[in-house]
CSV table of all heavy atoms in Angstrom, one decimal:
chain,number,residue,atom,x,y,z
Y,593,THR,N,96.9,32.3,84.6
Y,593,THR,CA,98.1,32.9,84.0
Y,593,THR,C,99.3,32.2,84.5
Y,593,THR,O,100.3,32.1,83.7
Y,593,THR,CB,98.1,34.4,84.2
Y,593,THR,OG1,98.1,34.7,85.6
Y,593,THR,CG2,97.0,35.1,83.5
Y,594,THR,N,99.4,31.8,85.8
Y,594,THR,CA,100.6,31.2,86.3
Y,594,THR,C,100.8,29.9,85.6
Y,594,THR,O,101.9,29.6,85.2
Y,594,THR,CB,100.5,30.9,87.8
Y,594,THR,OG1,100.2,32.2,88.5
Y,594,THR,CG2,101.7,30.3,88.4
Y,595,GLU,N,99.8,29.1,85.4
Y,595,GLU,CA,99.9,27.8,84.7
Y,595,GLU,C,100.3,28.0,83.3
Y,595,GLU,O,101.1,27.3,82.7
Y,595,GLU,CB,98.6,27.0,84.8
Y,595,GLU,CG,98.3,26.5,86.1
Y,595,GLU,CD,96.9,25.8,86.2
Y,595,GLU,OE1,96.3,25.5,85.1
Y,595,GLU,OE2,96.4,25.6,87.3
Y,596,GLN,N,99.8,29.1,82.6
Y,596,GLN,CA,100.1,29.4,81.2
Y,596,GLN,C,101.6,29.8,81.1
Y,596,GLN,O,102.3,29.4,80.2
Y,596,GLN,CB,99.2,30.5,80.7
Y,596,GLN,CG,97.8,30.0,80.4
Y,596,GLN,CD,96.9,31.1,80.1
Y,596,GLN,OE1,97.2,32.3,80.3
Y,596,GLN,NE2,95.8,30.8,79.4
Y,597,GLN,N,102.0,30.6,82.1
Y,597,GLN,CA,103.4,31.1,82.1
Y,597,GLN,C,104.4,29.9,82.3
Y,597,GLN,O,105.4,29.7,81.7
Y,597,GLN,CB,103.7,32.1,83.2
Y,597,GLN,CG,103.1,33.4,82.9
Y,597,GLN,CD,103.1,34.4,84.1
Y,597,GLN,OE1,103.3,33.9,85.2
Y,597,GLN,NE2,103.0,35.7,83.8
Y,598,PHE,N,104.0,29.0,83.2
Y,598,PHE,CA,104.8,27.8,83.5
Y,598,PHE,C,104.8,26.9,82.3
Y,598,PHE,O,105.9,26.5,81.9
Y,598,PHE,CB,104.2,27.0,84.7
Y,598,PHE,CG,105.0,25.8,85.1
Y,598,PHE,CD1,106.2,25.9,85.7
Y,598,PHE,CD2,104.5,24.5,84.7
Y,598,PHE,CE1,106.9,24.7,86.0
Y,598,PHE,CE2,105.2,23.4,85.0
Y,598,PHE,CZ,106.4,23.5,85.7
Y,599,ALA,N,103.7,26.7,81.7
Y,599,ALA,CA,103.7,25.8,80.5
Y,599,ALA,C,104.6,26.4,79.3
Y,599,ALA,O,105.3,25.7,78.7
Y,599,ALA,CB,102.2,25.6,80.0
Y,600,GLU,N,104.5,27.7,79.2
Y,600,GLU,CA,105.3,28.3,78.2
Y,600,GLU,C,106.8,28.2,78.5
Y,600,GLU,O,107.7,28.0,77.6
Y,600,GLU,CB,104.9,29.8,78.0
Y,600,GLU,CG,105.7,30.5,76.9
Y,600,GLU,CD,105.6,29.9,75.5
Y,600,GLU,OE1,104.6,29.3,75.2
Y,600,GLU,OE2,106.6,30.0,74.8
Y,601,THR,N,107.2,28.4,79.8
Y,601,THR,CA,108.5,28.3,80.2
Y,601,THR,C,109.1,26.9,79.9
Y,601,THR,O,110.2,26.7,79.4
Y,601,THR,CB,108.7,28.6,81.7
Y,601,THR,OG1,108.2,29.9,82.0
Y,601,THR,CG2,110.1,28.4,82.2
Y,602,ILE,N,108.2,25.9,80.2
Y,602,ILE,CA,108.6,24.5,80.0
Y,602,ILE,C,108.8,24.2,78.5
Y,602,ILE,O,109.8,23.6,78.1
Y,602,ILE,CB,107.6,23.5,80.6
Y,602,ILE,CG1,107.6,23.6,82.1
Y,602,ILE,CG2,107.9,22.1,80.2
Y,602,ILE,CD1,108.9,23.5,82.8
Y,603,ARG,N,107.9,24.8,77.7
Y,603,ARG,CA,108.0,24.6,76.2
Y,603,ARG,C,109.4,25.2,75.7
Y,603,ARG,O,110.0,24.6,74.9
Y,603,ARG,CB,106.9,25.3,75.5
Y,603,ARG,CG,105.7,24.4,75.2
Y,603,ARG,CD,104.7,25.0,74.2
Y,603,ARG,NE,104.0,26.1,74.8
Y,603,ARG,CZ,103.0,26.0,75.6
Y,603,ARG,NH1,102.6,24.8,76.0
Y,603,ARG,NH2,102.4,27.1,76.1
Y,604,GLN,N,109.7,26.3,76.3
Y,604,GLN,CA,111.0,27.0,75.8
Y,604,GLN,C,112.2,26.3,76.3
Y,604,GLN,O,113.3,26.3,75.6
Y,604,GLN,CB,111.0,28.4,76.4
Y,604,GLN,CG,110.0,29.3,75.7
Y,604,GLN,CD,110.0,30.7,76.4
Y,604,GLN,OE1,110.7,31.0,77.4
Y,604,GLN,NE2,109.1,31.6,75.9
Y,605,HIS,N,112.2,25.6,77.4
Y,605,HIS,CA,113.4,25.0,78.0
Y,605,HIS,C,113.3,23.5,78.1
Y,605,HIS,O,114.1,22.9,78.9
Y,605,HIS,CB,113.6,25.6,79.4
Y,605,HIS,CG,113.8,27.1,79.3
Y,605,HIS,ND1,115.0,27.6,78.9
Y,605,HIS,CD2,113.0,28.1,79.6
Y,605,HIS,CE1,114.9,28.9,79.0
Y,605,HIS,NE2,113.7,29.3,79.3
Y,606,LYS,N,112.4,22.8,77.4
Y,606,LYS,CA,112.2,21.4,77.4
Y,606,LYS,C,113.5,20.7,77.0
Y,606,LYS,O,113.9,19.7,77.7
Y,606,LYS,CB,111.1,21.0,76.5
Y,606,LYS,CG,110.8,19.5,76.5
Y,606,LYS,CD,109.5,19.2,75.8
Y,606,LYS,CE,109.6,19.4,74.3
Y,606,LYS,NZ,108.4,18.9,73.5
Y,607,SER,N,114.2,21.2,76.0
Y,607,SER,CA,115.5,20.5,75.6
Y,607,SER,C,116.5,20.5,76.7
Y,607,SER,O,117.3,19.6,76.9
Y,607,SER,CB,116.0,21.1,74.3
Y,607,SER,OG,116.4,22.4,74.5
Y,608,THR,N,116.6,21.6,77.5
Y,608,THR,CA,117.5,21.7,78.6
Y,608,THR,C,117.2,20.6,79.6
Y,608,THR,O,118.1,20.0,80.1
Y,608,THR,CB,117.4,23.1,79.2
Y,608,THR,OG1,117.8,24.1,78.3
Y,608,THR,CG2,118.3,23.2,80.5
Y,609,ILE,N,116.0,20.5,79.9
Y,609,ILE,CA,115.6,19.5,80.9
Y,609,ILE,C,115.9,18.1,80.4
Y,609,ILE,O,116.5,17.2,81.1
Y,609,ILE,CB,114.1,19.6,81.3
Y,609,ILE,CG1,113.8,20.9,81.9
Y,609,ILE,CG2,113.7,18.5,82.2
Y,609,ILE,CD1,112.3,21.3,81.9
Y,610,TYR,N,115.6,17.8,79.2
Y,610,TYR,CA,115.9,16.5,78.6
Y,610,TYR,C,117.4,16.2,78.5
Y,610,TYR,O,117.8,15.1,78.8
Y,610,TYR,CB,115.3,16.3,77.2
Y,610,TYR,CG,113.9,15.7,77.3
Y,610,TYR,CD1,112.8,16.5,76.8
Y,610,TYR,CD2,113.6,14.4,77.8
Y,610,TYR,CE1,111.5,16.0,76.9
Y,610,TYR,CE2,112.3,13.9,77.8
Y,610,TYR,CZ,111.3,14.7,77.4
Y,610,TYR,OH,110.0,14.2,77.4
Y,611,THR,N,118.2,17.2,78.2
Y,611,THR,CA,119.6,17.1,78.1
Y,611,THR,C,120.2,16.6,79.5
Y,611,THR,O,121.0,15.7,79.6
Y,611,THR,CB,120.3,18.4,77.7
Y,611,THR,OG1,119.8,18.8,76.4
Y,611,THR,CG2,121.8,18.3,77.7
Y,612,VAL,N,119.7,17.2,80.6
Y,612,VAL,CA,120.1,16.9,81.9
Y,612,VAL,C,119.7,15.4,82.2
Y,612,VAL,O,120.5,14.6,82.7
Y,612,VAL,CB,119.6,17.9,83.0
Y,612,VAL,CG1,119.9,17.4,84.4
Y,612,VAL,CG2,120.2,19.2,82.8
Y,613,CYS,N,118.5,15.1,81.9
Y,613,CYS,CA,117.9,13.8,82.2
Y,613,CYS,C,118.7,12.7,81.5
Y,613,CYS,O,119.0,11.6,82.1
Y,613,CYS,CB,116.4,13.7,81.9
Y,613,CYS,SG,115.4,14.7,83.0
Y,614,TYR,N,119.0,12.9,80.2
Y,614,TYR,CA,119.7,12.0,79.4
Y,614,TYR,C,121.2,11.7,79.9
Y,614,TYR,O,121.7,10.7,79.7
Y,614,TYR,CB,119.8,12.3,77.9
Y,614,TYR,CG,118.5,11.8,77.2
Y,614,TYR,CD1,117.6,12.7,76.7
Y,614,TYR,CD2,118.4,10.4,77.0
Y,614,TYR,CE1,116.4,12.2,76.1
Y,614,TYR,CE2,117.2,9.9,76.3
Y,614,TYR,CZ,116.3,10.8,75.9
Y,614,TYR,OH,115.2,10.4,75.3
Y,615,MET,N,121.7,12.7,80.6
Y,615,MET,CA,123.1,12.5,81.2
Y,615,MET,C,123.0,11.6,82.4
Y,615,MET,O,124.1,11.1,82.9
Y,615,MET,CB,123.7,13.8,81.6
Y,615,MET,CG,124.1,14.6,80.4
Y,615,MET,SD,125.1,13.7,79.2
Y,615,MET,CE,126.5,13.3,80.1
Y,616,PHE,N,121.9,11.3,82.9
Y,616,PHE,CA,121.8,10.4,84.1
Y,616,PHE,C,121.1,9.1,83.9
Y,616,PHE,O,121.0,8.3,84.8
Y,616,PHE,CB,121.0,11.2,85.2
Y,616,PHE,CG,121.8,12.3,85.9
Y,616,PHE,CD1,121.8,13.5,85.3
Y,616,PHE,CD2,122.6,12.0,87.0
Y,616,PHE,CE1,122.6,14.5,85.9
Y,616,PHE,CE2,123.4,12.9,87.5
Y,616,PHE,CZ,123.4,14.2,87.0
Y,617,SER,N,120.7,8.9,82.6
Y,617,SER,CA,120.1,7.6,82.3
Y,617,SER,C,120.2,7.3,80.8
Y,617,SER,O,120.1,8.2,80.0
Y,617,SER,CB,118.7,7.5,82.7
Y,617,SER,OG,118.2,6.2,82.4
Y,618,LYS,N,120.3,6.0,80.4
Y,618,LYS,CA,120.3,5.6,79.0
Y,618,LYS,C,119.0,5.1,78.6
Y,618,LYS,O,118.7,4.9,77.5
Y,618,LYS,CB,121.4,4.6,78.7
Y,618,LYS,CG,122.8,5.1,79.0
Y,618,LYS,CD,123.8,4.0,78.7
Y,618,LYS,CE,125.2,4.4,79.0
Y,618,LYS,NZ,126.2,3.4,78.7
Y,619,ASP,N,118.1,4.8,79.6
Y,619,ASP,CA,116.8,4.2,79.4
Y,619,ASP,C,115.8,5.3,79.2
Y,619,ASP,O,115.5,6.1,80.0
Y,619,ASP,CB,116.5,3.4,80.7
Y,619,ASP,CG,115.1,2.7,80.6
Y,619,ASP,OD1,115.1,1.6,79.9
Y,619,ASP,OD2,114.2,3.3,81.1
Y,620,ASN,N,115.1,5.2,78.0
Y,620,ASN,CA,114.1,6.2,77.7
Y,620,ASN,C,112.9,6.3,78.7
Y,620,ASN,O,112.5,7.4,79.0
Y,620,ASN,CB,113.5,5.9,76.3
Y,620,ASN,CG,114.5,6.2,75.2
Y,620,ASN,OD1,115.4,7.1,75.4
Y,620,ASN,ND2,114.3,5.6,74.0
Y,621,ASP,N,112.5,5.2,79.2
Y,621,ASP,CA,111.4,5.2,80.2
Y,621,ASP,C,111.9,5.9,81.5
Y,621,ASP,O,111.2,6.7,82.1
Y,621,ASP,CB,110.9,3.8,80.6
Y,621,ASP,CG,110.2,3.1,79.4
Y,621,ASP,OD1,109.6,3.9,78.6
Y,621,ASP,OD2,110.2,1.9,79.4
């Protein structure tokens, strides 16, 4: 259940994480 909760949390907030990452790099890799 912890892994399932974590996976769901990441699914819900994936765009937030990507937004932060894109502010620190222009390179997709």
Side-chain angles (χ1 to χ4, degrees):
T593 57
T594 302
E595 289 175 14
Q596 289 172 339
Q597 289 172 338
F598 179 76
E600 182 57 31
T601 299
I602 296 305
R603 266 192 293 282
Q604 291 172 359
H605 299 283
K606 183 168 70 172
S607 66
T608 297
I609 299 167
Y610 270 116
T611 299
V612 173
C613 293
Y614 272 110
M615 288 309 299
F616 286 88
S617 180
K618 296 179 184 180
D619 178 81
N620 285 336
D621 291 335

